Amino acid sequence: MRAISVSRLLPVAGLLIAAFAAPAFGQSPFPLPDTTSLPQDAGRDDLVRSCNLCHPIMPVLGQQRTEPEWRGVVEAMRGRGAKVSDEEATRIAGYLAKYFAPGMPVRRGAGVWPGAGIFILGGRPPDAEPVIGQPLETRDPVGKGQKPAFAGQTRAPAIRTKTAVDVTIVAHGLNHPWALAFLPNGHMLITEKPGAMRIVSADGTVGASISNVPPVFYRSDGGLLDLVLDPHFADNRQLYFAFAEPRPGGAGLSLASARLSDDETSLESVRVLLRVEPTHPSVSHFGCRLLFDPQGKLFMTSGERMDPLLRARAQQLDSRLGKLLRLNTDGSAAPGNPFEKTAGALPDIWTYGHRNSQGLAYNPVTHELWSIEHGQAGGDEINVILPGRNYGWPLIAYGTENDHSPINGGATQAPNMEQPVYYWDPAIAPTDMAFYTGKLVPEWRNNLFVAGHLSQHVARLVLDGHHVVGEERLLLDQHQMMRWVGQGPDGALWVLTDDADGRLLRLAARQGK
């Protein structure tokens, strides 16, 4: 294990992702760059095949980046539907880092966009030290001209942790880890997006793949997703997990249960409890986070699949797309849900109007359920969840469509639709959240931590009730996309990074020498 000081965490340059209307799948309508612009080498053909179809390549190569940063760009494109395998992504990132690295001469055509524009989808913030007390976010918003609904709803002032904090790399070599559960014996159970579960011991030893994990649809947002232990796991060894399930005609989000074998090598009695319909060929927006409420009922987020037609179902109570569900542990609707007596509504719906939520946590001060939400281009949200409420998507939203056009005419507020307590524009791509209640870093107590994927940082948010009054970016020096954040039983903050060589990180106050 390695320890790294994070008393000073410096941001680096952000990602600029090109937006362009996608042509019909097939031959690229854009000219192929010559070898002066794109030298012939390993990875070039993968780059041309994968990235010259929906937009010309050279405009997005004007900003020089390191290999991890280029990998973040490739992952962003995969998230938008680019057909790139893990092996191809590695070759493309290596190629770009070889020819478009910081300090290299700018190649012909790089950064030049003929007749169109570029927009900030998200990514690492600019290479500038934040000014404490001034807004942490200094980039122009994507949703130009949009006004927050109340003061402090976005762009909180920058803060800095005063405690000297060490980051320990407890384990690495994880293959795109997605979620983690702490076991009673001190081990950690981790899901990997390509479809594996593994045990990681307290000393960081990564175990072999656990057997009997069902096949997953691994592409873009799809794969093996969240994992939670049964509240009585110590007695019954039961667990619940969500995954993108391969089905005829595409894929869909499914919830399953299983028993972890006594020797932690296999899943037993695997059973699919719920299948979210419809099956669809979209590779995006499955969700999904799982969380038990104090009554032992299971919350489950479901995305709206990022399809222009399907996303409207986030507003329809006869569909589970774009919803927060509340379930019994057999997958049936939990009693007491707000729409259980509403004609035509599915009884397991708790809230609706969601785009793609991947984080749930209870506020330790107010005891309310909070969630995070991926925005479109800009407009990532933090919400306070109240039963039966409509969170607006796709009728109201901050940010814009990915082609920079307004979302539903640019509406950001509407009667009987909830406002986020906070939003980011440009986006950070929030993938998980946790409130810190430990004692190892006292100044972090009751702060909210949000894993930023494209932004490659963990956001620390200081709260005053429902208001964010300070924001800090942590772990930028890791140059990794953040996937999961949570508090361990040891009182430390733990983080998973999303990479083919994914890391398990532990953050705690530096001990005296």
Side-chain angles (χ1 to χ4, degrees):
M1 297 187 287
R2 277 192 290 145
I4 302 172
S5 173
V6 291
S7 56
R8 302 277 289 181
L9 297 172
L10 301 179
V12 299
L15 306 179
L16 291 177
I17 309 298
F20 209 90
F25 186 78
Q27 180 66 35
S28 172
F30 305 110
L32 181 66
D34 61 28
T35 54
T36 302
S37 298
L38 285 183
Q40 191 64 50
D41 206 341
R44 182 187 192 273
D45 292 345
D46 299 307
L47 176 67
V48 170
R49 180 194 61 77
S50 304
C51 302
N52 205 49
L53 179 63
C54 298
H55 59 80
I57 293 176
M58 295 309 296
V60 299
L61 302 183
Q63 186 174 5
Q64 298 171 329
R65 302 178 175 92
T66 64
E67 185 165 357
E69 291 166 351
W70 279 122
R71 183 59 184 256
V73 173
V74 176
E75 290 297 331
M77 292 304 188
R78 293 174 80 183
R80 291 170 53 78
K83 296 182 177 181
V84 181
S85 69
D86 281 355
E87 293 78 11
E88 291 166 342
T90 298
R91 289 196 294 267
I92 292 171
Y95 175 85
L96 293 172
K98 184 175 180 179
Y99 292 102
F100 296 88
M104 297 189 70
V106 177
R107 294 191 171 274
R108 187 170 57 130
V112 178
W113 187 273
I118 55 177
F119 71 88
I120 300 173
L121 177 65
R124 295 183 65 91
D127 187 10
E129 182 76 8
V131 179
I132 303 304
Q134 297 299 311
L136 179 64
E137 181 58 76
T138 58
R139 294 170 289 181
D140 291 337
V142 177
K144 300 197 182 298
Q146 293 177 346
K147 303 297 184 183
F150 53 87
Q153 193 182 21
T154 190
R155 297 181 178 245
I159 56 173
R160 180 179 293 123
T161 298
K162 298 177 182 178
T163 305
V165 174
D166 283 337
V167 176
T168 302
I169 301 175
V170 176
H172 65 92
L174 298 165
N175 188 9
H176 296 285
W178 215 96
L180 181 152
F182 292 97
L183 301 182
N185 63 359
H187 290 173
M188 291 159 277
L189 178 60
I190 289 176
T191 62
E192 294 178 330
K193 193 176 173 186
M197 290 188 191
R198 299 182 190 277
I199 295 291
V200 176
S201 65
D203 67 0
T205 301
V206 179
S209 296
I210 292 172
S211 63
N212 297 331
V213 176
V216 305
F217 176 84
Y218 175 50
R219 189 172 148 208
S220 188
D221 289 344
L224 183 58
L225 307 175
D226 204 15
L227 164 80
V228 290
L229 303 183
D230 188 273
H232 304 289
F233 177 86
D235 298 320
N236 61 24
R237 302 191 65 76
Q238 194 78 4
L239 56 89
Y240 304 86
F241 59 96
F243 64 108
E245 182 182 40
R247 305 172 189 168
L253 174 65
S254 293
L255 172 70
S257 66
R259 182 185 184 276
L260 180 63
S261 64
D262 292 340
D263 62 3
E264 301 179 341
T265 63
S266 66
L267 297 184
E268 301 171 347
S269 303
V270 178
R271 185 162 68 100
V272 175
L273 304 175
L274 178 68
R275 289 183 169 95
V276 174
E277 300 290 350
T279 297
H280 193 271
S282 168
V283 299
S284 300
H285 290 194
F286 295 92
C288 162
R289 285 292 170 192
L290 305 172
L291 179 71
F292 276 100
D293 73 6
Q295 290 74 44
K297 305 307 179 183
L298 183 60
F299 282 115
M300 173 182 177
T301 69
S302 172
E304 37 74 291
R305 302 304 305 278
M306 203 179 176
D307 177 89
L309 297 178
L310 281 185
R311 77 183 195 179
R313 298 193 187 184
Q315 288 291 320
Q316 299 171 2
L317 294 177
D318 61 353
S319 170
R320 292 187 176 95
L321 297 182
K323 305 298 191 296
L324 175 61
L325 310 176
R326 183 171 174 264
L327 308 166
N328 294 314
T329 54
D330 62 0
S332 63
N337 286 350
F339 301 108
E340 62 183 358
K341 296 181 180 179
T342 302
L346 294 172
D348 50 14
I349 294 173
W350 189 255
T351 57
Y352 64 108
H354 299 287
R355 185 171 179 267
N356 191 37
S357 175
Q358 293 184 328
L360 292 169
Y362 276 100
N363 185 315
V365 176
T366 67
H367 309 292
E368 298 164 315
L369 181 63
W370 288 39
S371 76
I372 51 172
E373 187 95 38
H374 285 278
Q376 189 83 323
D380 296 338
E381 298 178 355
I382 301 174
N383 288 299
V384 175
I385 296 297
L386 299 171
R389 300 296 178 89
N390 181 354
Y391 288 81
W393 180 257
L395 301 181
I396 61 170
Y398 293 95
T400 69
E401 300 283 9
N402 286 331
D403 63 1
H404 252 184
S405 63
I407 299 170
N408 193 33
T412 59
Q413 302 178 45
N416 302 315
M417 295 186 187
E418 299 301 305
Q419 280 290 307
V421 298
Y422 194 71
Y423 71 88
W424 287 273
D425 183 8
I428 68 167
T431 53
D432 197 19
M433 65 188 299
F435 287 92
Y436 182 77
T437 60
K439 298 179 180 179
L440 296 186
V441 187
E443 65 179 298
W444 286 359
R445 192 166 179 82
N446 297 327
N447 291 177
L448 176 61
F449 291 82
V450 177
H453 198 248
L454 293 180
S455 63
Q456 298 188 353
H457 78 272
V458 170
R460 172 196 169 215
L461 303 172
V462 176
L463 305 172
D464 180 5
H466 289 172
H467 297 283
V468 176
V469 296
E471 182 173 1
E472 181 179 15
R473 295 170 177 142
L474 302 174
L475 298 179
L476 280 164
D477 62 340
Q478 294 288 316
H479 292 269
Q480 296 268 301
M481 293 178 289
M482 306 299 158
R483 172 59 74 181
W484 179 93
V485 60
Q487 183 179 315
D490 60 351
L493 193 71
W494 293 72
V495 175
L496 287 172
T497 72
D498 184 6
D499 192 79
D501 184 18
R503 301 169 188 172
L504 173 60
L505 308 175
R506 179 182 182 271
L507 285 69
R510 182 178 304 160
Q511 298 299 306
K513 301 299 184 183

